[in-house]
């Protein structure tokens, strides 16, 4: 088996609509967190309850903010990849089950380039789990830019 080429950069392409959905969810979560934080003050003078509620709200806000950051980063990477990238189907060569509870697989994929470089993709997405179960002979849709050595598995519709 060929070596894994670490110089290939993996991105996680996302469609405009999906990114928008993630951002809306991020805003909703953050608003809930802020609202909950304000309402928690009504629990005074039960300060332990106020503190516990604030802690939960801070966590929710953190999830919201990271969701937003993630959506923006993925959309940016997708927009950068689209003009030069081409759609390909990557054959799955090997799949390792890397967790016990949730189904997460590390897929070993062969890039359709000279020399057939191998890359790895750890994922619990339906499409990738199915590809792992369907071995041998399964493929996953991807986008690849050979010149810049960027690639990414496509998990949903890439619109616009
Ligand atoms: Zn995946």
């Amino acid at each position: 088996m060929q070596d894994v080429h670490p110089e290939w950069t993996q991105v996680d392409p996302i469609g405009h609509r999906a990114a928008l959905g993630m951002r809306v969810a991020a805003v909703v979560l953050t608003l809930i967190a802020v609202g909950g934080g304000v309402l928690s003050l009504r629990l005074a003078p039960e300060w332990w309850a106020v503190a516990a509620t604030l802690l939960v709200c801070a966590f929710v806000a953190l999830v919201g903010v990271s969701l937003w950051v993630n959506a923006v980063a993925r959309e940016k990477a997708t927009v950068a990849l689209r003009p030069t990238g081409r759609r390909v189907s990557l054959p799955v060569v090997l799949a390792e089950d890397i967790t016990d509870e949730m189904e997460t697989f590390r897929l070993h994929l062969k890039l359709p380039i000279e020399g057939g470089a191998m890359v790895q993709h750890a994922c619990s997405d339906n499409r990738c789990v199915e590809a792992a179960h369907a071995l041998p002979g399964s493929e996953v849709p991807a986008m690849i830019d050979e010149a810049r050595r960027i690639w990414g598995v496509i998990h949903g519709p890439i619109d616009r």
Side-chain angles (χ1 to χ4, degrees):
M1 205 167 88
Q2 292 100 332
D3 291 335
V4 171
H5 288 235
E7 64 265 37
W8 280 87
T9 307
Q10 184 176 186
V11 297
D12 196 356
I14 189 174
H16 177 70
R17 203 169 300 168
L20 199 68
M22 273 174 79
R23 283 199 231 178
V24 170
V27 171
V28 169
L29 279 178
T30 309
L31 286 178
I32 288 173
V34 171
V38 171
L39 287 179
S40 74
L41 297 177
R42 294 195 174 191
L43 297 171
E46 305 265 15
W47 294 113
W48 62 269
V50 174
T53 311
L54 281 180
L55 206 65
V56 171
C57 291
F59 176 75
V60 173
L62 200 71
V63 172
V65 170
S66 60
L67 200 61
W68 178 280
V69 171
N70 190 2
V72 170
R74 285 176 64 185
E75 201 179 9
K76 222 170 133 187
T78 308
V79 168
L81 180 58
R82 190 168 302 145
T84 49
R86 63 186 170 105
R87 296 267 193 131
V88 290
S89 231
L90 299 183
V92 181
V93 179
L94 185 76
E96 302 166 67
D97 196 342
I98 53 175
T99 45
D100 293 332
E101 307 91 36
M102 218 169 87
E103 279 207 294
T104 302
F105 285 93
R106 185 182 293 122
L107 303 179
H108 295 246
L109 306 165
K110 192 172 187 151
L111 295 180
I113 54 163
E114 255 190 65
M118 302 283 295
V119 288
Q120 294 183 3
H121 172 66
C123 189
S124 58
D125 188 88
N126 269 349
R127 185 172 282 186
C128 294
V129 170
E130 266 169 37
H133 283 307
L135 264 177
S138 54
E139 300 187 330
V140 289
M143 210 181 255
I144 178 174
D145 180 347
E146 296 177 48
R148 290 186 294 156
R149 289 185 161 257
I150 303 172
W151 72 283
V153 172
I154 296 171
H155 294 107
I158 303 287
D159 46 359
R160 208 149 68 80

